Amino acid sequence: MAQVQANGITIEYETFGAKDNPTILLVMGLGAQLTMWNTELCEELVKRGYHVVRYDNRDVGLSTKFEAAGIPDMEKIFIALATGGAVEAPYSLDDMAADGMALLDALGIEKAHIAGASMGGMIVQLMAANHPEKVLSVTSIMSNTGNPDVPQGSDEAMGALMAPAPDPSDHEAIIARGMNTWNVIGSPGYRTPEAQLREWVERDTKRSYYPQGTVRQMAAIVSNGDRREKLKKLNVPTVVLHGEADPLVPVAGGKDTAANIPGAELRIVPGMGHDFPVALVDVFADAIAAAASRASASQAAE
């Protein structure tokens, strides 16, 4: 792994495959580090002829932390939303989208296929809307449009996600909370074995435990609002992938995303929740490669 200065911050990233191959930029979700993109998936995409870049978003992992911004008052933010007031967040999803585009610039990559999961899906939507000259294709995974009328996550899933963060000194409590969250929101048809899940949670906790960054990212999500009008203007090959059993971002969010991006292909996976089972590596790779292939075919036809 390595670091670069981009968009005024330090971004931790890792690459797989030959740089002269077409690049796929992988953008992770809320509070999740680059390691959540399975190495198996990255290697599968390399086998299919791509150069893969995964990175830590701002405020997570080993990228810049916005400590000086403090912890947002989420109750105040939700009240502002409900009453039509101004929503203040330390930074925006547009800023996070600009981070990824600046990373490509720093790496000397002119254009890339982009794929994002959950919050990362929101970010890649904005990458395509704000920086179309750099985006070859889009894969939006387990995400939504910000449409307030689309069903929200289940009480159990939202409760697990929003549960108070344990004290940094209580290692076992941190591990238990992480495993509970993934068990609640994970894929009922593709359960990750407990031993494997614990290994992943321990790996990421050891690498970086920074729950306050997750709160600032949440503020960015909430303050972003409805992206549908932007999405309707996109002109880029797009695949929308969603789990039929997703309890955190219900499948209606994926359907709404595909309905608002011209020409988007919707792929719904039975038994898939809101996680990244190794058993579904080929499903993720197929979706990303399908969007990229459509872009290549479109370019060849021009």
Side-chain angles (χ1 to χ4, degrees):
M1 297 185 189
Q3 292 185 336
V4 294
Q5 298 299 308
N7 200 29
I9 65 172
T10 299
I11 298 179
E12 178 81 9
Y13 72 96
E14 185 175 17
T15 65
F16 298 79
K19 189 176 178 181
D20 55 352
N21 287 337
T23 294
I24 294 173
L25 181 69
L26 300 177
V27 189
M28 190 34 74
L30 178 68
Q33 302 178 53
L34 61 80
T35 46
M36 285 304 300
W37 289 111
N38 293 327
T39 300
E40 292 89 344
L41 172 61
C42 297
E43 292 175 343
E44 176 61 28
L45 291 170
V46 169
K47 289 179 184 177
R48 299 185 187 208
Y50 295 100
H51 170 243
V52 178
V53 179
R54 61 179 185 175
Y55 70 100
D56 286 330
N57 285 307
R58 59 171 64 195
D59 251 342
V60 73
L62 305 180
S63 290
T64 291
K65 310 297 193 301
F66 283 69
E67 190 81 23
I71 300 177
D73 185 336
M74 292 305 297
E75 182 178 0
K76 183 178 179 181
I77 288 175
F78 283 121
I79 290 174
L81 277 176
T83 59
V87 177
E88 297 182 5
Y91 48 78
S92 68
L93 288 185
D94 296 277
D95 293 327
M96 299 181 78
D99 291 344
M101 297 295 91
L103 171 61
L104 292 180
D105 288 339
L107 298 179
I109 298 169
E110 183 179 351
K111 298 182 179 182
H113 304 283
I114 56 175
S118 197
M119 178 188 73
M122 303 172 192
I123 291 171
V124 300
Q125 292 167 20
L126 291 170
M127 287 176 172
N130 300 344
H131 310 272
E133 74 285 353
K134 298 189 69 63
V135 175
L136 293 170
S137 71
V138 170
T139 308
S140 181
I141 304 168
M142 61 181 84
S143 194
N144 61 32
T145 66
N147 179 355
D149 295 326
V150 169
Q152 302 302 301
S154 69
D155 290 344
E156 184 182 16
M158 293 302 295
L161 185 72
M162 303 300 288
D167 187 282
S169 65
D170 193 340
H171 179 74
E172 281 305 312
I174 294 170
I175 300 303
R177 182 190 183 280
M179 292 185 66
N180 178 67
T181 299
W182 288 114
N183 276 321
V184 168
I185 68 176
S187 300
Y190 303 91
R191 283 294 180 192
T192 298
E194 288 292 298
Q196 178 70 79
L197 187 59
R198 183 181 180 93
E199 181 182 323
W200 288 349
V201 174
E202 287 186 330
R203 171 201 66 195
D204 289 350
T205 300
K206 182 178 180 180
R207 186 171 181 266
S208 176
Y209 178 67
Y210 193 66
Q212 55 265 53
T214 301
V215 181
R216 289 191 286 270
Q217 290 184 350
M218 175 66 78
I221 292 173
V222 173
S223 65
N224 186 248
D226 193 336
R227 292 177 296 281
R228 284 179 292 171
E229 289 307 311
K230 287 187 175 183
L231 298 182
K232 290 174 183 177
K233 298 174 184 177
L234 295 187
N235 181 27
V236 61
T238 300
V239 172
V240 176
L241 181 69
H242 216 107
E244 190 173 49
D246 192 328
L248 186 63
V249 181
V251 67
K255 293 177 179 178
D256 188 53
T257 302
N260 282 283
I261 299 178
E265 175 191 352
L266 175 63
R267 298 187 175 198
I268 297 174
V269 184
M272 175 180 157
H274 200 85
D275 62 344
F276 308 89
V278 173
L280 292 179
V281 160
D282 283 344
V283 172
F284 286 109
D286 286 346
I288 295 168
S293 295
R294 283 177 54 193
S296 297
S298 178
Q299 286 181 318
E302 291 179 356

